[in-house]
Amino acid sequence: MANPTWINDTTRRSSLDHLAGHPVDVAVVGGGITGAGVALDAVSRGLSVALVEGGDFASGTSGYSSKLIHGGMRYLASMNFGVAWESAVERRWLMERIAPHLVRRLGFVIPVTRGNPAWEPAAEAFGTVLYDVLRRFSGLGSAVLPRPRLLARRDVAALAPALDMELVRRGILYWDGQVVDDARLVFGVIRTAAGLGAHVLRDVNASALTATAVHAVDTRTGAGVTVNARVVVNATGVWAAGFEPELSVTPSRGTHLVVGAERLGYPQAAHTVPVPGHFGRYVFVLPQPGGLVYIGITDEEDRGADGHHPAVPERDVGFLLDIVNTTLAVPLSRGDVVGSFAGLRPLAEGAHGHGDGGTADISRRHLVLNVPGAPITVVGGKLTTYRRMAQDAVDAASARLGVFAPSRTRTLPLVGAALAPELAAVDAPARLVEKYGTEAASVQEFQRLDPLLAEPLFSGCDTTGAELLFGILAEGASSVEDLLERRTRLSFVPAEAAKARGRAAEILARAGTFGAAQ
């Protein structure tokens, strides 16, 4: 049975009809994590809200990050304590209250290798201790993120088996947050906003913004759409400067390679590899659910890339392999790379300056630009701090409206969220609970509608047809690409996406029938 948090073609039509005759308090442009966060913060304060997105939700940078909810270790190395503290605080709320079903702890091994200057491991050890101090002062307990500790060589080998142990003397272990799926976090925020009354529209492409109106085109029909509002918020990420002449945004390309976990000995923790000549900058080797490992990340200015599908240049592949291979017993080759993906981070260059190290030197602090007579623009930041970005933007909007209700989102759980005991009691496989939280039982129930929905999409795949149907009926998917790229992440391994494409098309075609039968 449908519930108020579901978003789909039916709710889209209903919202289009409503907005044709009714203005809202706040119109948000952009369906990534920032726009989703703004919509949720505003509607949870009692404001009427509409959100418009030109394509699919999470189809830009928000679906192609490193999938880390981290306190900002690298920002300590660059002495950017403000961003590190803000990140640590926001990590606490995500792990404890907002999305404990989606955000879990992940261990990080810093190998201490032979031949390195003695000051490097000392500096890294001090950094992890300081990082833990931020964790404690943020209020996040050690039961969620344990304290860092020194590792013997054998412990390093157990956690990161692919490392060349001839080089390793010992290691340092610290803990951080990992989101099971960054796109799923976006869907959770958007659906929670919809459940509170926000009108959520995908495939509505904004062409012009004013302080009180969004002029757009329904890309499904070609019809013009105008959303009238008392305040408009521009949360369009790398496209934000196109609507705000006062702003300069530098797109920074972050590339990741995808490798089978078996090739790296099925690591039980992430490990870091320093980038030579850039203290505090690392390449991460990040184990993922489903037997994959992501290797990233690059940080290169890329003004000409497609914000939805930035190309992965060969030089990025070479750079990442060259760096990570300095630590591996058996080097990776290009043949070991089964997929790759990239996203463009929107860095507010004009607000924070540009150092000599390229986009790696631009601060990740967010910017709220509030010019009278123009839309409010929120840009920059990072996945971990989306909630605070949204709070600041809605504070500015509320001031314009003369409404001073406080933000509620620090302790507002997303749809599907629950604490560990309640999640453990959900009658569904653990794999589904990690993706859907308390809604895993609903996904499981879909499997009873038809054998097509109970079966894996192909041999060796865990994902079932029921998950695709849920993506269509509850999460707004409307194409095969939506299902393979964001409701599942099968597109990260193109060979697997090709195997699933036919089954996905069949379920999409029959979704209306299945929905009527539930």
Side-chain angles (χ1 to χ4, degrees):
M1 184 176 183
N3 70 52
T5 71
W6 284 19
I7 53 175
N8 50 43
D9 287 354
T10 299
T11 64
R12 180 182 184 275
R13 287 192 295 269
S14 176
S15 288
L16 278 171
D17 290 343
H18 176 86
L19 294 171
H22 298 84
V24 293
D25 293 323
V26 179
V28 186
V29 183
I33 190 63
T34 305
V38 171
L40 177 56
D41 192 289
V43 75
S44 66
R45 299 193 199 196
L47 301 173
S48 58
V49 175
L51 179 148
V52 300
E53 158 61 39
D56 187 16
F57 306 117
S59 58
T61 306
S62 299
Y64 302 94
S65 72
S66 296
K67 290 142 188 67
L68 296 177
I69 299 298
H70 61 111
M73 175 75 87
R74 66 170 291 185
Y75 307 119
L76 293 180
S78 61
M79 308 296 286
N80 200 333
F81 295 109
V83 173
W85 170 245
E86 183 177 82
S87 300
V89 170
E90 293 306 315
R91 179 184 61 185
R92 176 210 174 171
W93 297 120
L94 279 161
M95 298 191 77
E96 282 193 343
R97 302 296 297 271
I98 297 171
H101 63 310
L102 293 179
V103 184
R104 61 187 185 183
R105 69 186 185 191
L106 176 66
F108 285 75
V109 174
I110 303 175
V112 177
T113 56
R114 302 182 191 279
N116 281 5
W119 64 267
E120 283 192 7
E124 289 165 342
F126 176 74
T128 59
V129 171
L130 184 57
Y131 200 52
D132 191 56
V133 169
L134 290 181
R135 186 269 305 167
R136 282 184 280 169
F137 275 95
S138 76
L140 185 63
S142 58
V144 179
L145 287 185
R147 298 183 65 180
R149 62 186 178 93
L150 295 175
L151 299 174
R153 288 179 72 246
R154 65 178 180 277
D155 298 321
V156 174
L159 292 172
L163 289 173
D164 184 354
M165 296 310 298
E166 295 297 321
L167 299 175
V168 175
R169 297 167 54 199
R170 59 185 180 274
I172 303 167
L173 176 66
Y174 74 94
W175 299 85
D176 225 326
Q178 179 185 42
V179 64
V180 171
D181 186 333
D182 48 0
R184 188 152 300 287
L185 179 63
V186 178
F187 304 146
V189 177
I190 285 179
R191 289 183 52 214
T192 305
L196 293 174
H199 296 278
V200 175
L201 298 171
R202 58 164 294 178
D203 298 325
V204 175
N205 189 35
S207 55
L209 311 182
T210 71
T212 57
V214 177
H215 301 286
V217 175
D218 182 341
T219 60
R220 297 187 184 183
T221 65
V225 175
T226 297
V227 179
N228 292 302
R230 296 170 67 194
V231 177
V232 173
V233 178
N234 170 15
T236 54
V238 293
W239 298 276
F243 296 111
E244 176 47 72
E246 299 292 323
L247 184 66
S248 177
V249 172
T250 300
S252 172
R253 185 183 64 252
T255 295
H256 296 81
L257 309 181
V258 184
V259 176
E262 74 283 355
R263 181 60 183 80
L264 294 169
Y266 295 99
Q268 300 303 301
H271 80 264
T272 61
V273 186
V275 176
H278 296 272
F279 179 70
R281 185 180 174 196
Y282 298 92
V283 167
F284 295 103
V285 180
L286 302 165
Q288 305 294 318
L292 298 174
V293 174
Y294 300 157
I295 298 172
I297 184 173
T298 63
D299 207 337
E300 300 293 334
E301 182 175 325
D302 193 344
R303 294 183 179 272
D306 177 355
H308 289 288
H309 295 96
V312 174
E314 178 61 26
R315 67 178 178 274
D316 283 10
V317 178
F319 168 80
L320 292 171
L321 289 178
D322 287 347
I323 296 295
V324 78
N325 280 341
T326 63
T327 65
L328 300 182
V330 179
L332 294 171
S333 70
R334 280 165 171 75
D336 294 312
V337 178
V338 298
S340 61
F341 62 93
L344 296 182
R345 307 179 192 88
L347 305 181
E349 178 183 358
H352 303 301
H354 201 312
D356 295 333
T359 56
D361 282 347
I362 303 178
S363 172
R364 266 49 175 181
R365 183 175 292 280
H366 63 273
L367 168 70
V368 175
L369 194 61
N370 186 7
V371 178
I376 294 169
T377 294
V378 55
V379 69
K382 57 199 187 82
L383 182 69
T384 306
T385 60
Y386 83 86
R387 192 211 63 82
R388 182 53 191 266
M389 295 171 64
Q391 176 182 321
D392 290 350
V394 180
D395 282 347
S398 297
R400 285 195 186 184
L401 295 171
V403 176
F404 300 103
S407 174
R408 296 177 48 215
T409 51
R410 283 192 303 180
T411 56
L412 179 64
L414 301 185
V415 59
L419 298 179
E422 186 177 348
L423 292 175
V426 175
D427 185 18
R431 184 187 67 81
L432 292 182
V433 177
E434 288 181 356
K435 290 180 65 175
Y436 300 98
T438 59
E439 294 190 306
S442 298
V443 178
Q444 183 85 342
E445 187 67 25
F446 280 171
Q447 295 185 13
R448 298 182 174 90
L449 296 178
D450 190 282
L452 180 69
L453 302 176
E455 300 169 357
L457 299 181
F458 55 86
S459 177
C461 176
D462 291 332
T463 305
T464 67
E467 294 172 63
L468 301 192
L469 182 61
F470 190 81
I472 297 164
L473 298 181
E475 298 175 339
S478 65
S479 71
V480 170
E481 285 66 31
D482 295 341
L483 295 172
L484 299 183
E485 293 186 12
R486 287 169 291 278
R487 304 320 182 275
T488 68
R489 309 318 296 263
L490 291 172
S491 65
F492 284 174
V493 182
E496 293 189 352
K499 294 178 184 177
R501 184 167 292 275
R503 183 67 60 86
E506 183 177 359
I507 292 170
L508 185 66
R510 296 177 58 187
T513 302
F514 291 138
Q518 61 169 315

